[in-house]
Amino acid sequence: MGTLIGILIIIGITYILCNRTSWKFDNYMPPEGQKIDHNAQALDRVRNNLTNEQVMRNTVNGKYNVKR
């Protein structure tokens, strides 16, 4: 029984660590007076062959924020 609980805890921690970026991206709001440039996101995907994970990371870091 103790082994089963240990395995479930390890799986739970791994799941949280793997999905943390997605949760941040889903709840991301740019700072006041700025918006997200969705065209720049699309161009990065096409021209620079970025994956969705890389685009999500760049969005959370504020790379696509532009003034309104």
Side-chain angles (χ1 to χ4, degrees):
M1 187 67 175
T3 306
L4 179 63
I5 293 172
I7 291 172
L8 291 175
I9 289 173
I10 291 172
I11 290 172
I13 290 172
T14 305
Y15 177 79
I16 289 171
L17 292 175
C18 289
N19 289 314
R20 191 174 61 175
T21 304
S22 298
W23 294 334
K24 282 183 181 179
F25 177 75
D26 291 342
N27 296 317
Y28 177 72
M29 293 293 293
E32 195 70 30
Q34 294 185 350
K35 65 179 183 175
I36 298 173
D37 186 3
H38 296 286
N39 291 329
Q41 286 179 332
L43 286 175
D44 264 356
R45 280 193 186 108
V46 174
R47 288 185 183 163
N48 300 330
N49 295 325
L50 295 182
T51 63
N52 284 340
E53 288 288 324
Q54 292 169 322
V55 171
M56 287 192 302
R57 194 175 312 118
N58 288 342
T59 302
V60 171
N61 290 335
K63 180 179 176 187
Y64 304 115
N65 292 349
V66 293
K67 292 184 179 182
R68 289 184 188 236

